[in-house]
Amino acid sequence: MDLAGISGLLTEIGWALLESLPPYREDEALALGEQLRQAGHDPALVAAALTQSRLRGAARGKFGPFADGMLFTATGLEQATRLSVAARHAQRFVSAGIDRVADLGCGIGADSMALATFDREVLAVERDEVTAAVATMNLRHWPEATVRCADATTTDLTGFGGAFVDPARRGETGKRLLDPRLGSPPLSFVLDLAARLPAVGVKTAPGIPHHLVPEGAEAQWISVAGEVVEAGLWFGLLARDGVRRSALVVPGDGEEASPVELSDTDLPTVGAGPVADYLYEPDGAVIRAGLVAQVAAMVGGHLVDPTIAYVTSPTLVRSPLARAYTVEDVFAFQLKTLRSWLRDRGIGRLTIKKRGTAVQPEQLRRQLKVSAAWGDAEATIVLTRVSGRQSVIAVRPITG
Ligand SMILES: C[S@@+](CC[C@H](N)C(=O)[O-])C[C@H]1O[C@@H](n2cnc3c(N)ncnc32)[C@H](O)[C@@H]1O
């Protein structure tokens, strides 16, 4: 969406048109557009309003009902922090007692909205003109938030106690950049900032290798509804005492559970051993943070292999930090043995999970020739290494 499109929507007529639209439906959009143009609306404005309506619909996953009062660009929405996570970022500044925060590379303004909601005075800096206009609109309810269209790397931060940086992570070709040193602004800028300001945070890709986590920073991996969405690096007053790595597991919208956190303050030593009655698959944020041993200790178990992120235990402990399965069988991986095992049990529907093995689930499925004629029983198998051997663990997911 270009500046003309956004500007059109910010006129009284444009905003009224956008607000009058019904919830977006792809199959009705063409007819609705035609109807609006027939009614005398400017075609460019109709196109902009329908695009915005579609983006609002798509934004509900990140912003819930707030999306209906916001504006978006497609890239801005894709890069935006979901509100539940932005609130976590903002809470760090609140806990550290930082009142004035600069949001450097603010995008459509999600993190700034969360900071302003927590009564912080926010300077939101965005170099892209259209995105800055969108952020201005999204922050209209908070007079203590100011949007400035400028380069964050040359912005004067005198008087600011803290800064949050969420760098753009797409290269020239549109390819995702996992290395924070290549983001815009780059990690070097953040490190320089952290040396000057008491409280600095930066959002990075979940795949950031541990060796790139700067000395003295706390790295926190966050998952939402089982998907790892980011690794935040927190410096100075925003890093918690003694915590280098932590994981925050946030439930999906509508789930009743509360977020759960784990950190490396007390890292147990856990060995590997035979598969017991229950198998645990730690949440991705826990794995990325390197805290699988914590989960093993929590469930009174051990690893199935020193190099694999599966935990096993004779006890069932329910936790959002790991998905639990009842173990039904364990045997060495061999195509023939596995096929007989499935056929003998009338398995017609098979879920294949794997970790630490080169086997490709879809290729294996073809080789196994699982047939509905075998029966309609269902099974889940985990292909992994158990004490160094390629093995099959047949499991049943524990639900609820
Ligand atoms: C990942 S997005 C920020 C998303 C934002 N945290 C949110 O939740 O909506 C990064 C933004 O930084 C902006 N940006 C990149 N380099 C910049 C710079 N040097 N100065 C200002 N903005 C910059 C990009 O235009 C992009 O909109």
Side-chain angles (χ1 to χ4, degrees), residues 63 75-76 79-82 86 103-112 125-128 131 148 150-155 164-169 183-186 203:
F63 297 96
T75 2
Q79 300 188 343
T81 308
R82 60 183 59 238
D103 182 7
L104 302 176
C106 71
I108 56 134
D111 281 292
S112 290
V125 184
E126 170 58 52
R127 74 174 171 193
D128 179 70
T131 314
R148 190 182 296 166
D151 185 340
T153 58
T154 53
T155 299
F164 179 72
V165 190
D166 181 1
R169 286 186 259 137
S184 176
K203 183 166 125 183

Side-chain angles (χ1 to χ4, degrees), residues 81 85-93 111 164 203 230 234:
T81 308
V85 174
R88 290 277 163 173
H89 296 160
Q91 272 164 4
R92 292 226 179 215
F93 290 93
D111 281 292
F164 179 72
K203 183 166 125 183
E230 68 171 50
W234 303 99

